[in-house]
Amino acid sequence: MSKRNKGEAKKNTGAKLAYRPIGLVSGLVAGSLSGIVFKQVWKLVAKEEEAPSALQSEYRMREVVLAAAIQGAIFAATKAAVDRAGARGFKQVTGAWPGD
């Protein structure tokens, strides 16, 4: 490995380590945001205040699984958006992309 490649590898490893706390905080933010978004979406879709949980017997399997699928999709999209925004901000500040 050339000196330049070694320098790049160290820079990338350092960026990954420096980004960890930011990634953890952004994960918490994404979780909170996705919960808020999901509640609003569920109110619009189902016309109910609360989504069904897996252990509530009054709901059919289809309703429980649909609610979980919608919640998972919203969480994944929100997390990706928050992670990407955090990585872009990190690169602007440090000059290194945290995922490389």
Side-chain angles (χ1 to χ4, degrees):
M1 188 179 278
S2 71
K3 286 184 180 183
R4 182 176 179 178
N5 288 343
K6 285 181 183 177
E8 282 294 314
K10 281 187 176 184
K11 182 180 175 184
N12 291 341
T13 301
K16 285 181 183 180
L17 289 174
Y19 184 74
R20 275 195 180 156
I22 297 167
L24 290 171
V25 169
S26 70
L28 294 172
V29 169
S32 295
L33 283 176
S34 67
I36 292 166
V37 170
F38 172 69
K39 285 182 180 184
Q40 295 304 313
V41 168
W42 189 257
K43 284 179 188 178
L44 289 173
V45 170
K47 309 278 191 267
E48 294 181 7
E49 286 293 314
E50 296 289 323
S53 73
L55 299 178
Q56 289 178 306
S57 63
E58 62 270 18
Y59 293 98
R60 296 183 313 218
M61 174 71 90
R62 169 176 35 182
E63 294 169 312
V64 171
V65 172
L66 179 62
I70 292 170
Q71 187 174 23
I74 289 171
F75 175 76
T78 304
K79 181 153 178 24
V82 170
D83 284 348
R84 189 66 176 199
R88 291 175 96 183
F90 184 85
K91 180 167 174 37
Q92 286 180 342
V93 171
T94 67
W97 189 262
D100 291 340

